[in-house]
Amino acid sequence: MESLVVYGRDHELSLADGFLDVAGERFAVLRLEGEPGIGKTTVWREVVRQAEERGFRVLSCRPAEMEAKLALSALSDLLDHLPSASFAELPVPQRRALDIALLRVEPEAGEVDPRTLGTAVRSLLANLAAEKPLLVAIDDVQWLDLASASVLEFALRRLAGARIGWLFAQRADQPPRLTSDALAAREAVTDVKLGPLTVAALYRVLKQRDRKLTRPTLIRVHEASGGNPLFALEIVHELGSSASSEPRARLPVPGSVRELLAERIRRFPEEVWKTLLAAAALSHPTAALVKRASCADALAAAQETGLIAVDGDRISFAHTLYASAIYESATGTQVRELHGRLARLITDPEERARHLAIAATEADEDIARALEAGAAAARARGAWESAADLLEHARRLAAPDRPGDAAKRGIAAAEHHVRAGDRTRARALLEELLAGPLPRPLLADALRLLAEITYNDGYSDAAKRLLAEALEHADDALQAAAIELALAYLSGQLADPAAGTAHAYRALARAEEAGDRSHIAAALALCAVFDYLCGLGVDWEKVERSLALETPDRIMPLVQSASVVAALLALYVGRHSEARERLAAVSAAARERGDESDLGFVLMWRSWLETRSGNLAEAATLADEAAAIAMLTGSPASHATTLAQRALVLAHTGHAEQVRRDCADAAALVEQLGNPWIGVWIAAALGLLELSLGNAEAAWEACAPATQALEQHGIAEPVPAFFLPEALEALIVLGRLDRAEALVDALEARGRELDRAWARATGGRCRGLLLATRGDLGGATTALDGALAEHDRIEMPFERARTLLARGLVERRARRRTQAKQSFEEALAIFDRMGATVWAERARQELGRLGLRRSTGGELTESERRVAELAAQGMTNREVAAALFISAKTVEANLARAYRKLGIASRAELGARMVEERVQT
């Protein structure tokens, strides 16, 4: 059986997983249904494979259409590999009937009684199921021979109490030979209808068969195949190695469909064929338009062919491949004449431009300008790929005496291809343009855009050289500003904030000189980012000014936009709600525009935000989508980063195998990219995973390179070093306390100077663990209490739970068992709620070592106790908030919970109850 990964069938395989769970205990039926080529057999094979892995005995067969008239051929295939011992256990008449039916012995005089044969099959299957779970798997049930179907129906009716799973795959366009509806209780049957694959799933199917396409071609293959993987593979096979880079080139029709339709098309009357051709040439064919473009009286006859359906004014083909087959049947002259006719009938600028482009045979500046207008209309609705194709057509039709116009349209087309996610096509266009002479301004633009593609492809040094050359040819301030912005961003990716700062401020000066709002906005935003990365804090005035000047419809890399930068800075400093709102708005706008070029980047940051906020399920969903988009758009840098972020999410939930796999894949890409930031993510993911598993040496090994770089350069801004707590805890466990102390000192110092609650909280936790390791339990308790006070200022429940776990360990060593119990229980509740299973198990184990009974929920948490004690001393809510460095709202919430648990209603009762609490502990 071919070993291929099954993509895009998570829901179907989830249902299949449930079916196998049931089939391992009792009778169950799973029916897979779908159109030819949709992937029924692929899913069927995967269910068979999973059943074998679970220890099922599997009996399988795959009847073919040509075998449908061969009696008992399917039954023979089904039972062919069973050992003789399985038959020997049957009563003699049953064994004899089976031996004859399966041609194991020569037939005797007379015929085998069908009932005896059915009984024999029933007995055989029942015996097999008694030994171990049994799966009877039949693919293409519609081709079962009638004799086999009859015997299996007989057995199936009489095995409702046996531990047998029945797996059937059935074509939707054929009547079934085995109707399990009448044979089994409805609740025992699971029906799975396979629909079309998504674009991402189809990409993976093609990729694992070494069929690699650009994203726009992939989209068109998906549309042409209707998401049917078999049709898609046939289309790609027809394309061969020369997957056309011509704009909007027609995709070939799979040979099977072409052969099916060729003879029919030749028999159509000319007026019917012309009507079908007109419908095939239109993106949204209507009856009125088709009649005007072809033969007004032939539409009814065209509908009778079965290839099209007419619903009111709307015309649709029974399958998109039929439209392609009809279109392919026309000559080049016929196609051009038709499109010229349609261009005269259509008013929509984009649609009209498309027809004009196909009809044109020579340079025509008027048509070229019409194509540019069509491209603008396409871009306005987010159709970047369509706009790029129209601009390429416009370039082809430019007047020979205006080469600058052709080059300008080519560069614009390349930029649109980038926004559509097709960097490969954009690069090819730019390299073609750069191979010839270009005016200086266009040369600078082409080099800058090629550089941006190059560093997204992971070649940072080459990108720097291209940008430096582009800057030499930039004659105006606006061009220079765009190039300096690109250099600033590249410096950031290379972890060189000093160079990034210089380029960002030069970009700002040139943008202000040019008076361009969008470039001023981008430059201000990057200046704010690099100020932050250099440890100067966030200049929110710059951020607000950049947001006010931002021009959303200006074509510019998303990562340079003021909206993205404002969101990330809010995230870095712990303003999570604001960051969440801003990032959601940015990704929604990008989807609306159809701009996927940097969408994976934004989704990755949304995932990181939800990871820090403790919403791990949401973080995992976002990380999966980010990784899929990054893979489709072909950016190794984005792909590596999204893989590393997904690993970080999964490290929290303890999925060790997937974490290591994602990190290994990301690390392989980092070797090509030379991007140190991705190494930080990998360190954080592996460090956290190994710590959770108790592998301190492995955790330190993962974090060591990033830690050494930090020791060399110092901590300017703590948050980008978010792997550091894992490195510190590993060092402490390994007994390398002096090195750990120097780093803790640096982390806490910068956290205090910049007032970063995350750094102060995690630094305090590491300080507590360090002091406890040195035997200073009093100092450790003070450090951990301070860390928890910092945790109250930021929404990071996972980190809070880890600090509670650390405090519980210190309290237990100090023989404060009741307080330790409360800390462990609060940590456990947080870990459980988040789905951090490995960490939750650690908290349970620590709790179990105390030997105390779990609380019933009526005891105060440490946060509630601290607030209640200060309030009992007569402090106001505002004074308590100031003393504990938390908000007044947090004080109110803690007091409300404390009142409820203590069974009191006012502060007047609080003092006495707190005295009682202290006596009890």
Side-chain angles (χ1 to χ4, degrees), residues 122 128 280 315 509 513 547 615 648 673 681 731 736 746 812:
R122 182 206 63 184
L128 294 172
I315 296 176
E513 179 185 338
L547 288 169
N615 305 317
L648 181 61
L673 301 169
W681 257 269
L731 285 172
R736 302 169 193 175
R812 187 179 63 198

Side-chain angles (χ1 to χ4, degrees), residues 251-402:
L251 294 175
V253 182
S256 57
V257 179
R258 185 188 298 110
E259 292 165 12
L260 179 69
L261 293 179
E263 187 59 35
R264 292 179 63 191
I265 291 171
R266 281 194 291 270
R267 294 198 302 266
F268 291 155
E270 184 178 2
E271 62 272 15
V272 170
W273 174 79
K274 285 183 176 180
T275 299
L276 291 170
L277 179 62
L282 289 163
S283 58
H284 302 290
T286 64
L289 190 53
V290 167
K291 286 178 180 180
R292 292 177 66 194
S294 56
C295 304
D297 300 328
L299 186 57
Q303 187 174 8
E304 289 175 4
T305 67
L307 298 186
I308 63 170
V310 182
D311 182 9
D313 192 43
R314 189 172 69 89
I315 296 176
S316 59
F317 279 84
H319 199 290
T320 54
L321 291 172
Y322 295 166
S324 294
I326 292 289
Y327 192 87
E328 277 192 3
S329 69
T331 66
T333 300
Q334 289 169 327
V335 166
R336 286 191 294 273
E337 288 177 353
L338 172 62
H339 283 286
R341 193 158 58 250
L342 289 170
R344 292 190 292 272
L345 296 173
I346 290 171
T347 57
D348 177 78
E350 182 184 349
E351 182 84 1
R352 179 172 178 270
R354 182 79 55 205
H355 294 295
L356 284 171
I358 298 171
T361 58
E362 57 186 21
D364 189 315
E365 190 60 29
D366 289 337
I367 294 179
R369 283 193 289 269
L371 292 174
E372 286 185 305
R379 184 176 69 243
R381 65 179 180 84
W384 294 90
E385 176 202 345
S386 180
D389 290 340
L390 289 172
L391 287 167
E392 286 204 57
H393 277 302
R395 175 195 174 209
R396 176 174 59 86
L397 296 174
D401 59 346
R402 299 172 64 92

Side-chain angles (χ1 to χ4, degrees), residues 648-672:
L648 181 61
V649 181
L650 295 174
H652 284 73
T653 54
H655 291 77
E657 185 178 342
Q658 184 64 51
V659 170
R660 293 190 177 109
R661 185 160 54 245
D662 279 351
C663 285
D665 290 344
L669 289 167
V670 169
E671 285 187 19
Q672 168 193 337

Side-chain angles (χ1 to χ4, degrees), residues 755 757 760-761 784-795 800 826 861-871 875-897 907:
D755 193 24
R760 297 175 70 163
L784 290 165
D785 284 346
L788 285 169
E790 295 295 337
H791 280 301
D792 288 338
R793 302 172 56 204
I794 191 168
E795 177 196 13
R800 179 185 185 84
E826 191 175 347
T861 66
E862 189 58 31
S863 297
E864 292 162 355
R865 182 180 303 281
R866 291 199 309 272
V867 169
E869 285 178 343
L870 293 178
M875 287 188 178
T876 65
N877 286 2
R878 188 179 298 278
E879 290 169 339
V880 173
L884 296 178
F885 300 99
I886 58 178
S887 68
K889 190 172 183 180
T890 302
V891 172
E892 291 173 8
N894 276 283
L895 277 177
R897 290 194 297 270
R907 287 191 183 227

